[in-house]
């Protein structure tokens, strides 16, 4: 009996000694801030785009930090977010250098725009850095198989498919037979023509690919080529000055197709307004419009109008910035960690609503979307006309001939 008691006592002493030498579990030390990289056009030829994007990004960040930051389960607390900004100046080469720089700043994720692709995506892949891309329609980088690249911005194939769907929504006898694909000599311009041709031919349309210099000073040769081909619809992408030039010279050359869809250029209603009535009836795709009723959109429009009254209804780039931080912060929260791999996996599983609409990614990292939002200028106002479920007004089709306006 005595021996049994001694064994029990000895065992108890051993357990006490074991606990004494094993450190008690402690909560991991939380970082003071969560660093998120942001590489965009702070200076350079499209710095105005970057300024709007940056404003929206910081407004989104302000809302998150006002609430204490992002809750991270690993540390059981909210942690403020810190932006690490870098300027790619719309240069693909500089974007690569800035991606290398931002990676060294211990960021857990990256938000990037425009010229960051294609080179920047390779850097993100190399370092396992989750990258959220916006304000870029490029599809090709997502066909390479990058594991860390995601985007909520409609791609060239999405926009081509949507434009063809718009044409197919008109009575069959009124549809065009031939579409002129205005192919700017730039990777995005070539992509638009490539996917536009694929979607058009698959639906029974004829196409003519009309080439032009990306920063063209004269569009007359391209317009006359489309006119000679009998093209009754136009589809392409171009910078605002080139898009404005296109419309002016279409009028001068009396080229009146039934439908003209130009992406990028007409998204700026302020610049487009310089065309006056000549700017009406043109279509373009938008990610965000005041007519969209996604959660938080009305509040965002109110803040934008209060703080940026001179910009009127030009919300596109600022909204993209705000939505970007919504998506990335949500992924960090669901990851419950600041480890890159876990954040990457959480991004891939994203299924949420932002101010620009529902966000969910395909296996290639692009956003699941049936149709982009198409607006048409009616009375100088960007008006949602497609898809029908988001429509503010019916599209005006065919476009009135110049001589009849």
């Amino acid at each position: 009996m005595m021996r049994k008691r001694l064994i029990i006592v000895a065992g108890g002493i051993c357990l006490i000694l074991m606990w004494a030498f094993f450190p008690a579990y402690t909560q991991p030390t939380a970082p003071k801030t969560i660093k998120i990289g942001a590489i965009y056009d702070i200076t350079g030829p499209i710095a105005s785009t970057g300024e709007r994007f940056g404003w929206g990004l910081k407004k989104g960040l302000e809302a998150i930090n006002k609430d204490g930051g992002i809750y991270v389960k690993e540390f059981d607390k909210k942690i403020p977010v810190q932006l690490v900004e870098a300027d790619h100046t719309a240069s693909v080469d500089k974007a690569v250098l800035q991606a290398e720089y931002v990676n060294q700043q211990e960021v857990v994720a990256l938000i990037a725009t425009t010229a960051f692709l294609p080179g920047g995506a390779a850097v993100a892949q190399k370092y396992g850095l989750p990258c959220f891309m916006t304000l870029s329609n490029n599809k090709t980088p997502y066909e390479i198989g990058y594991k860390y690249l995601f985007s909520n911005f409609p791609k060239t194939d999405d926009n081509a498919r949507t434009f063809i769907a718009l044409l197919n929504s008109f009575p069959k006898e009124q549809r065009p037979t031939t579409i002129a694909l205005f192919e700017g000599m730039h990777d995005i311009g070539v992509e638009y023509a490539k996917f536009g041709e694929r979607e058009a031919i698959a639906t029974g349309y004829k196409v003519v690919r009309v080439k032009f210099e990306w920063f063209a000073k004269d569009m007359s040769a391209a317009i006359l080529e489309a006119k000679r081909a009998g093209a009754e619809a136009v589809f392409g992408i171009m910078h605002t000055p080139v898009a404005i030039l296109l419309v002016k010279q279409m009028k001068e050359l009396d080229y009146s197709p039934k439908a003209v869809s130009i992406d990028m250029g007409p998204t700026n209603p302020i610049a487009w307004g310089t065309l006056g009535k000549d700017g009406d009836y043109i279509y373009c795709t938008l990610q965000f419009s005041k007519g969209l009723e996604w959660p938080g959109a009305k509040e965002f429009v109110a803040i934008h109008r209060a703080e940026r009254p001179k910009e009127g209804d030009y919300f596109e780039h600022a909204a993209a910035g705000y939505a970007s931080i919504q998506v990335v912060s949500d992924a960090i929260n669901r990851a419950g960690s600041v480890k890159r791999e876990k954040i990457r996996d959480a991004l891939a599983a994203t299924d949420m609503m932002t101010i620009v609409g529902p966000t969910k990614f395909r296996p290639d990292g692009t956003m699941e979307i049936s149709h982009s939002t198409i607006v048409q200028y009616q009375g100088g106002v960007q008006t949602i006309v497609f898809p029908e479920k988001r429509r503010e007004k019916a599209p005006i089709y065919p476009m009135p001939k110049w001589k009849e306006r």
Side-chain angles (χ1 to χ4, degrees):
M1 189 73 174
M2 181 64 70
R3 184 177 177 181
K4 187 175 181 181
R5 287 180 181 175
L6 287 172
I7 291 171
I8 293 171
V9 171
I13 293 170
C14 286
L15 284 172
I16 292 169
L17 289 172
M18 284 173 65
W19 281 112
F21 285 98
F22 275 98
Y25 172 77
T26 57
Q27 196 78 30
T29 303
K32 291 182 179 180
T33 61
I34 297 173
K35 293 182 180 180
I36 297 176
I39 304 177
Y40 60 105
D41 311 85
I42 297 173
T43 64
I46 53 173
S48 59
T49 296
E51 190 278 330
R52 295 183 187 99
F53 172 82
W55 179 87
L57 184 67
K58 289 165 187 173
K59 278 296 164 185
L61 180 67
E62 182 182 300
I64 291 167
N65 283 342
K66 187 177 180 180
D67 192 38
I70 302 171
Y71 175 78
V72 182
K73 186 177 180 180
E74 180 181 3
F75 308 109
D76 191 26
K77 64 182 294 188
K78 287 186 175 182
I79 305 172
V81 179
Q82 176 187 348
L83 273 185
V84 178
E85 297 177 280
D87 181 12
H88 61 48
T89 71
S91 164
V92 174
D93 292 335
K94 192 165 185 181
V96 172
L97 295 175
Q98 295 292 44
E100 291 280 355
Y101 161 75
V102 169
N103 176 69
Q104 295 170 6
Q105 307 310 305
E106 298 180 342
V107 298
V108 301
L110 173 64
I111 295 169
T113 70
T114 61
F116 183 79
L117 294 181
V123 178
Q125 180 73 18
K126 179 171 67 173
Y127 294 114
L129 176 60
C131 178
F132 181 82
M133 187 74 195
T134 190
L135 296 183
S136 171
N137 299 115
N138 287 78
K139 170 72 173 183
T140 302
Y142 301 86
E143 297 175 331
I144 295 172
Y146 289 131
K147 180 183 175 184
Y148 295 87
L149 183 63
F150 302 89
S151 178
N152 72 336
F153 208 71
K155 301 305 166 207
T156 49
D157 58 337
D158 296 317
N159 291 345
R161 184 178 66 255
T162 302
F163 179 61
I164 296 301
L166 170 68
L167 294 181
N168 289 341
S169 72
F170 301 130
K172 191 171 183 179
E173 66 277 7
Q174 295 181 22
R175 296 173 196 169
T177 56
T178 303
I179 301 171
L181 304 171
F182 275 65
E183 183 176 0
M185 293 296 95
H186 184 277
D187 58 350
I188 189 68
V190 174
E191 267 198 24
Y192 258 74
K194 168 188 169 183
F195 288 110
E197 183 175 52
R198 185 186 74 180
E199 295 293 334
I201 290 175
T203 320
Y205 294 99
K206 297 177 182 178
V207 300
V208 54
R209 289 172 73 153
V210 178
K211 293 178 170 56
F212 67 92
E213 292 298 321
W214 190 238
F215 292 104
K217 302 296 183 183
D218 184 358
M219 293 292 287
S220 59
I223 292 168
L224 289 172
E225 185 179 348
K227 188 176 181 180
R228 284 193 297 270
E232 299 172 291
V234 167
F235 177 71
I237 184 171
M238 55 196 74
H239 284 292
T240 302
V242 181
I244 289 173
L245 177 64
L246 175 74
V247 172
K248 286 180 177 179
Q249 292 191 311
M250 283 175 61
K251 181 180 180 180
E252 291 169 3
L253 297 168
D254 193 30
Y255 178 44
S256 299
K258 293 180 177 180
V260 177
S261 180
I262 309 169
D263 279 343
M264 188 159 65
T267 58
N268 183 343
I270 302 168
W272 202 251
T274 62
L275 283 168
K277 293 182 179 180
D278 291 346
D280 273 346
Y281 314 114
I282 304 298
Y283 301 99
C284 70
T285 58
L286 282 182
Q287 187 185 37
F288 183 87
S289 168
K290 68 182 189 306
L292 295 171
E293 297 185 355
W294 309 124
K298 287 183 179 179
E299 292 80 359
F300 175 81
V301 167
I303 294 170
H304 191 281
R305 283 176 170 165
E307 296 190 15
R308 304 173 73 89
K310 292 182 180 180
E311 294 195 351
D313 290 344
Y314 192 8
F315 307 113
E316 179 81 343
H317 303 141
Y322 195 99
S324 296
I325 199 71
Q326 283 186 302
V327 174
V328 174
S329 63
D330 173 75
I332 294 170
N333 171 258
R334 285 184 294 103
S337 171
V338 292
K339 292 181 175 64
R340 290 180 175 183
E341 195 65 28
K342 289 187 177 181
I343 294 170
R344 180 265 161 211
D345 291 345
L347 266 174
T350 294
D351 188 357
M352 66 176 296
M353 186 67 73
T354 71
I355 64 164
V356 300
T359 302
K360 188 175 182 179
F361 300 117
R362 302 174 179 128
D364 65 0
T366 60
M367 188 170 73
E368 284 191 10
I369 179 175
S370 56
H371 293 108
S372 308
T373 298
I374 294 182
V375 299
Q376 182 185 43
Y377 276 90
Q378 297 184 5
V381 177
Q382 291 177 344
T383 306
I384 299 172
V385 296
F386 193 84
E388 191 171 347
K389 63 183 178 181
R390 297 179 209 147
R391 178 179 290 175
E392 292 178 295
K393 292 182 180 179
I396 298 173
Y397 178 90
M399 184 175 83
K401 296 183 182 298
W402 294 109
K403 292 179 180 179
E404 298 173 359
R405 296 191 189 188

